[in-house]
Amino acid sequence: MNALSFIQKIKNKIKIKGNNNKILVEGSIKISKSKIVIKGDNNTLHVKDGAKINGSFFEILGDGCQIIIGKNSIIGDGCYLSAKEENITLTIGDDCMLSRNAKLMTSDVHPVFQEGKIINGAKNITLGDKVWIADDVVILKGVNIGKGSVIGIGSVLTRSVPNNSIAAGNPAKVIKENIDWDH
């Protein structure tokens, strides 16, 4: 594992506060015009070999949180990936494509209480391998998208999607199953 190169550091805005926070780079990646904010303790941004990231915003706030970007995955302009609170993970599998302005949020940001207890805690998000996320998609906490699936433009995902499916709409629903697509 490597850290970001000097050139990658100057081509991106990086702000890290807290203890034992890491940016891990596995192999060779391309990242430019992106913003990375990590605050808290023991948080990790892990980007694997062949990933391409352009003009995106990564935010990790809390303790023990992580964002993992799989091998050969592409994160397009204007994407926002956020892992917040405690021990939360946002995982993008290998060979995924996130088009422009996709938003993946593991938290509602502001707590909601009922009888003194938080009722809207953060939850993990997982995209399996070879998932295609179209423009302007929002993926909310607790959603898992199965490998080989496609999410249509402007969709809002509040529920998980099985392998090799197409989901679209607001809220998104599975509209096709047993599909495959070319990268």
Side-chain angles (χ1 to χ4, degrees), residues 116-183:
K117 295 183 182 181
I118 294 175
I119 60 171
N120 67 330
K123 296 180 183 172
N124 298 332
I125 293 175
T126 303
L127 275 59
D129 294 340
K130 197 183 168 200
V131 168
W132 177 9
I133 306 297
D135 290 10
D136 300 311
V137 168
V138 176
I139 300 173
L140 300 176
K141 65 184 185 177
V143 170
N144 296 309
I145 300 175
K147 67 179 181 176
S149 291
V150 177
I151 309 302
I153 292 175
S155 297
V156 176
L157 278 88
T158 59
R159 295 183 184 177
S160 295
V161 175
N163 293 346
N164 303 103
S165 298
I166 298 175
N170 182 1
K173 296 179 183 173
V174 174
I175 58 173
K176 295 274 185 199
E177 295 184 62
N178 300 314
I179 61 106
D180 194 11
W181 63 276
D182 287 330
H183 198 280

Side-chain angles (χ1 to χ4, degrees), residues 3-12 14:
L4 289 175
S5 72
F6 175 74
I7 297 298
Q8 289 169 329
K9 287 179 184 176
I10 63 172
K11 286 186 174 183
N12 300 281
I14 301 170

